Amino acid sequence: MTRVLVVEDDRELGELLVRAFGNAGYSADLARDGQSGLHRALTRGYDVLVLDRRLPAIEGLDLLVRLRRSGVDAPALMLTALGTVADRIAGLDGGAEDYVVKPFDLDELLARVRALLRRRPAVAAPVIAVGAAEFDLMARTVTGPDGAATTLSGRESDLLRLLAEQPERVFSRREIAARVFPESDTETLADTYVHYLRRKLGATVVATVRGTGYRLGRL
């Protein structure tokens, strides 16, 4: 399923866009500020980005520049109330593929997103080895040697990706919480989601390093 990230601080408009994308057959996530949008875009695979220009925490154009510098190449459509030629040029030069001025027609917006997706070349979904299993980052599935696939939630996928990309490194509970749950002020979520991964994938998938934290285990 095509995945869309909407970064929009207007609650009503953001929820409207998520519903519209869902009704059109997409899987859509909503972030309400630039910081959470940055985290989601860097840790999850999206096919298209829909970004508001005026965002709290990190302004929309700055967010897009950071994502492009980090290697996120999903096509981006910028939403804005700033409709001057100079503003549109700034958005396009910042890495956006399209620029829509508010207020806009919802059907036209969906058509523009379809056009962006048609122009995007097909690429293989990134896969990371987890022991003898394969972890598909886009589908959020872990497929074992027997072909059985297990689907992870978004946060479970974020945690497994963090551990799998540096399998020899030990991550503290504080670091896991900061990297995977930046909006939370408690480290206990790290323990909770380690428990969830073990419940789904087996007790050995995450190894506990006493007094230090967690690292990737084995399947």
Side-chain angles (χ1 to χ4, degrees), residues 105-126:
D105 182 86
L106 190 56
D107 288 335
E108 180 184 356
L109 176 69
L110 292 172
R112 287 175 178 265
V113 168
R114 290 194 297 270
L116 291 180
L117 291 168
R118 285 196 299 270
R119 295 200 296 267
R120 183 168 173 79
V123 295

Side-chain angles (χ1 to χ4, degrees), residues 105-179:
D105 182 86
L106 190 56
D107 288 335
E108 180 184 356
L109 176 69
L110 292 172
R112 287 175 178 265
V113 168
R114 290 194 297 270
L116 291 180
L117 291 168
R118 285 196 299 270
R119 295 200 296 267
R120 183 168 173 79
V123 295
V127 175
I128 298 177
V130 180
E134 291 187 343
F135 176 27
D136 185 318
L137 301 181
M138 188 72 71
R140 301 202 303 255
T141 57
V142 177
T143 303
D146 60 354
T150 301
T151 301
L152 305 179
S153 70
R155 293 303 175 89
E156 292 167 351
S157 178
D158 292 347
L159 174 56
L160 184 59
R161 178 174 184 171
L162 176 68
L163 301 177
E165 288 184 333
Q166 299 183 67
E168 303 302 321
R169 180 178 172 184
V170 178
F171 291 87
S172 69
R173 296 166 69 247
R174 176 177 297 179
E175 186 171 10
I176 290 173
R179 298 274 293 275

Side-chain angles (χ1 to χ4, degrees), residues 45-156:
Y46 291 99
D47 300 292
V48 66
L49 311 172
V50 177
L51 312 176
D52 186 27
R53 177 69 186 269
R54 289 179 169 173
L55 290 169
I58 301 175
E59 191 268 344
L61 186 55
D62 184 27
L63 168 62
L64 184 56
V65 170
R66 295 190 193 191
L67 291 175
R68 294 299 187 237
R69 288 175 178 171
S70 298
V72 176
D73 63 353
L77 185 150
M78 189 77 72
L79 300 177
T80 184
L82 306 173
T84 69
V85 173
D87 291 324
R88 292 197 296 271
I89 290 173
L92 296 171
D93 284 347
E97 280 71 26
D98 203 352
Y99 202 93
V100 174
V101 178
K102 299 177 182 178
F104 53 83
D105 182 86
L106 190 56
D107 288 335
E108 180 184 356
L109 176 69
L110 292 172
R112 287 175 178 265
V113 168
R114 290 194 297 270
L116 291 180
L117 291 168
R118 285 196 299 270
R119 295 200 296 267
R120 183 168 173 79
V123 295
V127 175
I128 298 177
V130 180
E134 291 187 343
F135 176 27
D136 185 318
L137 301 181
M138 188 72 71
R140 301 202 303 255
T141 57
V142 177
T143 303
D146 60 354
T150 301
T151 301
L152 305 179
S153 70
R155 293 303 175 89
E156 292 167 351

Side-chain angles (χ1 to χ4, degrees), residues 9-25:
D9 64 320
D10 183 306
R11 180 180 295 272
E12 183 176 352
L13 177 57
E15 292 176 353
L16 172 65
L17 290 172
V18 168
R19 287 196 302 271
F21 282 119
N23 292 336

